[in-house]
Amino acid sequence: MSGVRPLAILGGTFDPVHHGHLRGAWEAAEALDAEVRLVPARTPPHRPPPVADAAGRVALLRAALAGQDRLVIDTRELDRDGPSYTVDTLASLRADIGPGRPLVLLLGADAFAGLASWHLWQDLFRFAHLGVLTRPGGSHEPTGPLADFIAGRRAPRVHGPAGSVVDIAITPLDIAATAIRESFAGGGEPRFLLPSACFEDEALLAPYRALGR
């Protein structure tokens, strides 16, 4: 690894943020010795709009991240209009940090397997490495155009500013925001799937509790 500390990002709607997001980001920070930013999406191009608005999702993230400084929030996708295309976010970050610092896009194995469907997906490698969050026993072997494109790009560690694929082993936590929203819609209280700080202010989770009304 170069002498410059990497910057890594984990994007998503965080609707709501939960321990699966946070633990994966934390373990990636430790594995890479990186600063990690959580980047909430404004308008996800491939899924329905979030239940909570941008301000509400940021407030939840702030509550969830309180008490530590290794994981931080980056709101650049919320601050620009239009769909939240990852390639635009990486281009913006690269412009901010300069050409030499390692930049790592963190994504789950399932997302990585479907990367060839993303907007301008090959350009992602111009700006960043891809850090694939893997679980024990999981498989994310790419096929088709993605397999051809990444041939020779796999690396055991981050080296240089961009261009490689690095596997990052994480603790498997089978938590999904969809299931959390369904629990709230059914009148449940999904404690211990989200940080306890998210429950301390009733307004933070009000959009999700409203799903059951």
Side-chain angles (χ1 to χ4, degrees):
M1 187 176 298
S2 70
V4 181
R5 194 165 176 235
L7 169 64
I9 67 163
L10 178 66
T13 51
F14 303 111
D15 188 37
V17 63
H18 55 67
H19 284 306
H21 298 132
L22 300 171
R23 187 62 201 171
W26 187 266
E27 291 185 349
E30 292 186 324
L32 299 172
D33 188 23
E35 171 194 350
V36 174
R37 300 184 190 180
L38 304 184
V39 184
R42 179 186 181 92
T43 309
H46 301 303
R47 54 155 289 169
V51 170
D53 63 17
R57 289 180 287 126
V58 169
L60 269 172
L61 276 167
R62 292 198 192 286
L65 298 180
Q68 59 79 51
D69 58 9
R70 189 154 203 175
L71 308 180
V72 300
I73 305 169
D74 187 314
T75 61
R76 71 185 59 224
E77 291 193 0
L78 304 178
D79 298 336
R80 69 172 184 252
D81 294 330
S84 297
Y85 288 122
T86 301
V87 68
D88 297 330
T89 300
L90 293 179
S92 173
L93 283 161
R94 177 55 69 195
D96 285 352
I97 67 175
R101 185 179 181 186
L103 178 61
V104 185
L105 170 64
L106 303 174
L107 70 172
D110 290 345
F112 175 68
L115 192 71
S117 67
W118 289 30
H119 178 64
L120 298 177
W121 65 274
Q122 294 178 338
D123 286 349
L124 301 174
F125 293 85
R126 291 175 45 216
F127 300 114
H129 302 287
L130 268 65
V132 184
L133 305 178
T134 63
R135 303 179 181 194
S139 175
H140 59 276
E141 286 306 312
T143 59
L146 177 60
D148 294 337
F149 188 81
I150 69 165
R153 290 181 179 270
R154 288 193 179 275
R157 57 189 176 86
V158 168
H159 180 74
S164 64
V165 177
V166 178
D167 287 341
I168 302 169
I170 62 169
T171 302
L173 295 178
D174 192 12
I175 304 173
T178 300
I180 292 172
R181 294 193 299 270
E182 290 173 350
S183 176
F184 278 120
E189 195 75 357
R191 285 184 177 270
F192 308 111
L193 299 181
L194 295 79
S196 59
C198 295
F199 291 87
E200 292 175 2
D201 180 348
E202 289 191 6
L204 291 176
L205 294 170
Y208 305 102
R209 292 192 175 103
L211 293 172
R213 295 174 191 163

